[in-house]
Amino acid sequence: MAKLIINEKNKKGHINAEIYGHFSEHLGRCIYEGLYVGENSEIPNVNGMRKDVVDALKEMKIPVLRWPGGCFADEYHWKDGIGPKETRKKMINTHWGGVVEDNSFGTHEFFELCEQLGCKTYVNGNVGSGTVQEMSEWVEYITFEGVSPMADLRKENGHEKPWKIDYFGVGNENWGCGGNMTPEYYGNLYRRFQTYVRQYNKENKVQKICCGANVADYAWTEDVLKTCFAHPSNPASHGNMDGLSLHYYVHPGGWDKKGSATQFDTATWYKTLERADYMDELITRHGAIMDQYDPDKKIGMMVDEWGCWFDVEPGTNPGFLYQQNTMRDALVAGHTLNIFNRHCDRVKMACIAQMVNVLQSVILTEGPKMVLTPTYHVFHMYKNHQDAELLDSFIEGNGLVGEGECQVPHVSESVSVDAQGYVNVTLSNLSVSEDMPMEISFNELNPSSVEASILTGAMNAHNTFEDPECVKECQFIDFKAEDGKIVFTIPACSVISFRVK
Ligand code: AHR
């Protein structure tokens, strides 16, 4: 039996709600069809936003949404997406499938969506093919209240009051699709572009995010920080950044052999989870470089793209990145979110890619139909960690499971206490075949109220439009709570969450 020991007296840090964030790009059927169907659609909508999708995302407690990309962001010219829809410019989405982008979803629609979702906003600006003036004017258009050319234009377009930008990304993947830059070159551009991301509302500060590394490119982190922190005239500028991004996708067979999202063997199961577990090392090592410049951890590590990236579903547009989502994705999500929680001193935001119909989505749609994926249920089961305090925890007797060289912890955990005083425990059993008998013990807490839910199924179980509830969160009652302990067995291939008082 493994023992989860919780020391509820030792609070280890605040779990930013934004760790549970999402990403929506103009890619495939994420924005169009997935989120936005237009006011005239037969699919029930509010101001063009799908009602079923918005309701499900609210129920999951989405904290922040990143938009418009991704690679798309560095080709996006925001003025094409404002004003009367009939006159908006049409363009080719060169990155994603070469389809026509009619710009009917633009700035006003994004803020309308975030208002409906009740979530924070993360706008990603264009450094790769845009100008400083264009970026600066976008921020003015969105956030300036007084009289100015851009604020006046916003009012002419029907929005009197400014909106709030919570986070602003100064470019995306500028080491790759965002301009193929060197770290020194980008670092200098960051210094210049961010200067004109003005703080028009002192109470609602825009948090600026600098483009960080791809996977294990530690030299990028080092060189960008060195360039941004080199401020002889203003040493207090602290790199002029609130966040530094990190992108990491899980491909079990490598970039060229991603493999099917639903057809895989147990060796691929463990390879996938081993690749997911690598997130821990990436955060630790990039974090160690950040510590040299920012020992007080004022700058957040923003893992604003993460998740599984498999082959597209057979017969679908390869440029649309549409993939199914199984219990394997659920375990990747459960384990990764536990890793983020445990690194909450440095990781301040994370956005799974992407929210609807693209890569590791929480929601899939087909016409008027919608299914919640296993990943959705994990986010729902973990939602009480948002804005809670991480607690000290350790699993005694937790072995490794796997095949060959791919070994991962049998059970992954994180524990927090929320504002209502509930202790939230999330556990993921990464074994495809071995259950784990467990006991949870606390330092002082003698539980009087215990509620739990479980997500479990065969390793490649998934929800389809014909069978939308094959995998779903269920109440878990198979535990005993006595003598201050909770005793139960976590089945193989499952995620459990406890809420204890
Ligand atoms: O999420 C899909 C793509 O992956 C994004 O556009 C890009 O930033 C990353 O390479």
Side-chain angles (χ1 to χ4, degrees), residues 353-413:
Q354 297 190 4
M355 193 158 71
V356 190
N357 291 332
V358 172
L359 302 177
Q360 190 174 349
S361 305
V362 290
I363 290 176
L364 302 176
T365 66
E366 191 180 84
K369 296 187 200 155
M370 171 189 90
V371 295
L372 306 178
T373 66
T375 301
Y376 173 95
H377 293 293
V378 173
F379 273 79
H380 189 261
M381 291 166 76
Y382 277 52
K383 69 179 178 181
N384 294 316
H385 284 310
Q386 290 187 29
D387 276 330
E389 301 302 312
L390 181 75
L391 292 181
D392 193 10
S393 66
F394 177 73
I395 303 181
E396 205 176 80
N398 191 16
L400 295 175
V401 289
E403 286 183 17
E405 284 180 358
C406 291
Q407 300 289 324
V408 288
H410 192 158
V411 175
S412 140
E413 106 287 359

Side-chain angles (χ1 to χ4, degrees), residues 174-191:
N174 302 94
W175 37 261
C177 65
N180 283 304
M181 300 174 192
T182 64
E184 293 80 8
Y185 182 70
Y186 170 74
N188 281 311
L189 283 186
Y190 178 81
R191 291 171 60 141

Side-chain angles (χ1 to χ4, degrees), residues 17-22 60-65 118-121 386:
E18 285 87 327
I19 284 179
Y20 290 81
H22 291 260
M60 191 195 67
K61 207 176 161 196
I62 175 175
V64 65
L65 183 59
C119 73
K120 290 191 178 173
T121 58
Q386 290 187 29

Side-chain angles (χ1 to χ4, degrees), residues 23 25 27 70-71 96 172-173 247 249 305 309 354 359:
F23 171 35
E25 180 166 7
L27 196 178
C71 295
W96 307 118
N172 166 74
E173 296 197 350
H247 288 185
Y249 287 98
E305 286 187 34
W309 188 325
Q354 297 190 4
L359 302 177

